[in-house]
Amino acid sequence: MPRILVIEDDEVTAREIVAELGAHGMATDWAATGCAGLERALAGGYDLITLDRMLPGMSGIDVITALREHRMDTPVLMISALSEVDERVRGLRAGGDDYLTKPFAPDEMAARVEVLLRRHRPQAENRLRVADLELDLVRHVALRGGQPLSLLPTEYRLLEFLMRNSGQVLSRTMIFEHVWGFHFDPGTNVIDVHIGRLRRKIDVAGLPALIHTVRGSGYRLAPAD
């Protein structure tokens, strides 16, 4: 699951960005100032940063300048109410970074983020494979034995998380917080329901089971022994 840092001082805009990216299966953190955002960004671990150009104290341009000076090449989607890209921004758009003008449609913003993520994702990360199960991370297509699987968005995110951690026992808490993005409610059966649906699509009759229940611990995706 991609991790996105949202640096935006306007709370309404920030919540719109966080909600839209969350609906596209991305985990987000929000920083309301340039200084706070730079501190989080330098700590690392983010796949992309959305960055407001006009921030109190430390501007977005100052933030991206500091990032590049620290040799951090995390892709940045600069967001601004200014309709024109000035020369300082043009000079900082190395490595496929993009620029989006306010007001913007949330789905356009998410599409730009996904394009930047694909552009910066190593080629080896474009596809996940466990046994004869494949996940194309660019086209968002899952296949078992070469045959396409019809997955709902949540099922796709769940399968991606299982495949990225293949062989590892994943607790319900881990699955819930990584796939759904908020604190686990021990009283819910939503994980078991979605695992059941995913199993019916992946572990069809005549094929070795790949999704295993580890009693009392959680679930594990791995080739059959």
Side-chain angles (χ1 to χ4, degrees):
M1 177 183 293
R3 291 190 65 219
I4 312 298
L5 175 60
V6 177
I7 307 177
E8 169 64 59
D9 64 321
D10 182 73
E11 183 175 354
V12 173
T13 302
R15 290 187 181 277
E16 289 178 352
I17 294 173
V18 168
E20 185 68 23
L21 295 181
H24 284 73
M26 303 179 201
T28 58
D29 290 326
W30 171 38
T33 68
C35 292
L38 178 60
E39 183 178 353
R40 286 198 173 198
L42 291 177
Y46 292 103
D47 299 293
L48 183 139
I49 299 168
T50 72
L51 177 62
D52 187 28
R53 186 175 184 272
M54 305 293 288
L55 293 168
M58 186 178 198
S59 73
I61 291 180
D62 292 334
V63 171
I64 194 171
T65 300
L67 289 174
R68 298 317 184 218
E69 287 176 349
H70 282 80
R71 299 190 177 184
M72 293 196 69
D73 59 357
T74 307
V76 175
L77 173 61
M78 182 79 80
I79 298 175
S80 175
L82 300 179
S83 59
E84 295 183 358
V85 185
D86 63 31
E87 290 305 313
R88 288 190 69 193
V89 175
R90 290 182 190 278
L92 293 168
R93 291 181 63 188
D97 297 344
D98 201 357
Y99 188 94
L100 183 64
T101 303
K102 294 180 180 178
F104 55 83
D107 58 347
E108 179 188 356
M109 177 274 305
R112 287 173 180 259
V113 167
E114 290 183 328
V115 167
L116 283 176
L117 287 173
R118 287 197 297 269
R119 193 178 297 165
H120 285 76
R121 182 180 292 129
Q123 188 65 32
E125 280 291 296
N126 286 343
R127 186 177 296 266
L128 300 175
R129 180 189 291 270
V130 177
D132 62 347
L133 179 64
E134 297 179 63
L135 200 63
D136 188 321
L137 300 174
V138 175
R139 296 187 298 134
H140 280 217
V141 174
L143 305 100
R144 177 89 198 257
Q147 298 300 311
L149 304 172
S150 178
L151 301 180
L152 297 174
T154 302
E155 294 169 346
Y156 178 92
R157 295 197 301 270
L158 175 57
L159 179 59
E160 180 181 351
F161 184 58
L162 292 172
M163 292 185 70
R164 285 189 181 278
N165 298 278
S166 63
Q168 179 180 346
V169 177
L170 303 171
S171 70
R172 286 174 172 80
T173 299
M174 292 171 62
I175 294 172
F176 198 84
E177 293 183 353
H178 279 82
V179 177
W180 278 265
F182 48 92
H183 187 66
F184 177 61
D185 176 4
T188 183
N189 69 340
V190 65
I191 294 173
D192 306 281
V193 169
H194 279 79
I195 287 286
R197 291 174 179 169
L198 197 57
R199 264 198 178 119
R200 287 192 290 273
K201 295 180 178 183
I202 292 174
D203 293 342
V204 296
L207 294 177
L210 295 178
I211 300 177
H212 309 280
T213 300
V214 182
R215 191 175 299 277
S217 298
Y219 297 97
R220 179 171 61 96
L221 187 143
D225 295 333

